[in-house]
């Protein structure tokens, strides 16, 4: 039988077992119930970088700024800890490739290069995913996209990239589009 516990602190519970001959036994115990919340990230930003980790819109490396925390669960000693897995893939396609793993305890707050080295080509966008789990079975997933490198104009045969390398369509634009001073809406088109 499962019991839903809706309060924290010391909870008293008892249970009775009865066998096929009608004999029974009762046992009572006190349990400590701790407040719990899922792990979460309060900062999650991926960007292009140089090999030394400095930000660069034309960098062939990726860096991740991540701040994550888990809930402390102390019963005699700390029972909870985080595990963080950082993965990448070509934007919107393919399977995820694990790049970094961290076991930081209950908190992680750092900016670090994403594994893989200088493989993140300027003319491609990449998805970055962080999966944060804890010992209590909780999880949090964050996904963002790092765009193709920044260039003023990319003339690619019959295609054009504006403020980015061309990746799709005849005209691939990073940022808002304006015509005669008015923002062009692409919703519904």
């Amino acid at each position: 039988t499962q019991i839903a516990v809706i309060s924290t602190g010391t909870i008293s519970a008892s249970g009775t077992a009865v066998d096929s001959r009608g004999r029974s036994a009762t046992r009572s115990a006190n349990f400590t119930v701790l407040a719990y919340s899922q792990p979460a990230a309060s900062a999650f930003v991926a960007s292009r970088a140089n090999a030394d980790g400095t930000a660069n819109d034309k960098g062939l490396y990726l860096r991740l700024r991540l701040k994550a925390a888990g809930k402390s669960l102390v019963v005699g000693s700390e029972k909870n800890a985080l595990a963080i897995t950082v993965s990448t893939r070509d934007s919107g396609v393919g399977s995820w490739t694990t790049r970094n793993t961290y076991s930081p305890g209950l908190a992680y707050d750092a900016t670090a290069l994403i594994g893989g080295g200088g493989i993140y080509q300027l003319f491609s966008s990449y998805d970055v995913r962080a999966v944060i789990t804890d010992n209590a079975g909780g999880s949090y997933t964050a996904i963002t996209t790092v765009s193709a490198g920044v260039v003023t104009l990319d003339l690619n045969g019959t295609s054009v990239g504006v403020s980015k390398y061309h990746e799709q369509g005849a005209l691939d634009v990073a940022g808002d589009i304006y015509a005669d001073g008015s923002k062009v809406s692409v919703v519904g088109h």
Side-chain angles (χ1 to χ4, degrees):
T1 303
Q2 293 183 357
I3 300 170
V5 178
I6 57 173
S7 62
T8 59
T10 302
I11 307 292
S12 297
S14 63
T16 302
V18 180
D19 69 12
S20 61
R21 294 178 281 178
R23 295 184 297 178
S24 66
T26 300
R27 175 88 34 139
S28 297
N30 291 328
F31 300 92
T32 301
V33 179
L34 303 173
Y36 173 75
S37 57
Q38 299 278 343
S42 58
F44 177 73
V45 179
S47 60
R48 289 187 171 275
N50 293 328
D52 65 359
T54 57
N56 181 350
D57 288 340
K58 295 180 184 175
L60 296 177
Y61 293 77
L62 298 182
R63 71 179 191 166
L64 178 65
R65 166 75 177 106
L66 177 63
K67 183 175 183 180
K71 181 69 174 168
S72 177
L73 300 174
V74 176
V75 179
S77 62
E78 182 61 62
K79 305 298 184 198
N80 204 9
L82 296 178
I84 301 170
T85 302
V86 178
S87 305
T88 64
R89 70 175 181 188
D90 290 341
S91 186
V93 297
S95 58
W96 293 97
T97 300
T98 298
R99 301 295 183 181
N100 304 76
T101 57
Y102 304 102
S103 299
L106 283 176
Y108 181 83
D109 186 0
T111 300
L113 281 175
I114 295 173
I119 63 169
Y120 302 101
Q121 300 300 314
L122 288 176
F123 50 83
S124 296
S125 294
Y126 298 92
D127 293 333
V128 176
R129 177 180 72 181
V131 177
I132 305 160
T133 58
D134 68 8
N135 291 349
S139 69
Y140 178 89
T141 300
I143 299 174
T144 190
T145 300
V146 176
S147 66
V150 175
V151 294
T152 303
L153 191 62
D154 178 29
L155 301 175
N156 185 359
T158 59
S159 306
V160 177
V162 179
S163 294
K164 66 185 294 284
Y165 283 93
H166 177 269
E167 292 180 273
Q168 59 189 353
L171 180 63
D172 193 0
V173 178
D176 296 330
I177 301 170
Y178 289 82
D180 292 328
S182 297
K183 184 176 178 180
V184 176
S185 173
V186 294
V187 176
H189 296 281

